[in-house]
Amino acid sequence: MALLATLPASLAVLGAAGPAAAQRRIVGGTASSTSDHPWMVAVASRQQFGSSRSGQFCGGVLVSATKVVTAAHCFYDERTGHRADRPGLQAVIGRDDLRDRDGREVTVRNVWIDPGYDFTRNLRDVAVLTLAEPQAGRPVIGMVAQGETEPYAAGTEARVYGWGDTRGNGSYSPTLRSVEVPVVSDEVCSRAYPAGGDSPYDARVMVCAGAEQGGRDACQGDSGGPLVVAGRLVGLVSWGTGCAEATHPGVYTRLAAVADDVRSAL
Ligand code: ARG
């Protein structure tokens, strides 16, 4: 999550002067907790990513006692675009600080990738993980229905959660963070990521969110994590140019476009 320290260049040049510090408190996100957001999970492989942060490499969200929704690209090699296996894949549930042992690590016994997922164009970036042990009694998050449009109106208050990069420079957060990012209109987002560019915005299956002035965003390591509107899952962290740039909002998988597919995998 691009939180405290990530500022758009225009604010960063204020440097150590008073105004920058004041801005930081306004543009930045805050610490969050799995006690308040019990559906937030870390998708992890200690074998592949080491144990210092419980092996976390993506975010995910519990939608039923045995199913976690996350991003498809978490299971692809960024460089080759080929399917990557994630040995010892786990969902870490109920752990705010990835350096701790709180909560539990649950084995993932199946990974479903949306059949329409397109690595190159980032289309239908959604996956469903099946847990080996049901999390009976743990609160889950509700999802928007297929075709819903209202939660995607420009300016809608949304919040994104994750353990990702806080500065866009590889500073992965050990603790869960969240930040409010208003929904950005399709028009503005298409201008930021035009058709014909290397990664065009596709409003049918994506939605953008971010502050107009930049400074608030998801970032590397937040992928697959939830974009939440009024307590419901509306998006998944998918991609973006840089992090928290005023000119480039974060791009999310539009849940309402893939909800039927996801339900078929539950
Ligand atoms: N692809 C990134 C990940 O794997 C997420 C990038 C989101 N970027 C953004 N600026 N919102 O973690």
Side-chain angles (χ1 to χ4, degrees), residues 2 56-59 71 73-74 78 122 125 160 164-165 172 193 209 216-225 237-245 248-252:
Q56 187 271 347
F57 65 96
C58 270
H73 82 260
C74 295
E78 235 180 293
N122 302 306
D125 188 7
V160 58
D165 196 335
Y172 294 98
Y193 301 108
R216 287 190 261 154
D217 195 5
C219 197
Q220 296 347 296
D222 289 319
S223 280
V237 177
S238 182
W239 60 280
T241 295
C243 295
E245 294 177 6
H248 290 100
V251 189
Y252 296 77

Side-chain angles (χ1 to χ4, degrees), residues 1-3 160-162 164-167 177-179 217-219 222:
M1 202 76 39
L3 302 164
V160 58
Y161 299 81
D165 196 335
T166 56
R167 305 168 189 237
R177 313 273 294 167
S178 80
V179 67
D217 195 5
C219 197
D222 289 319

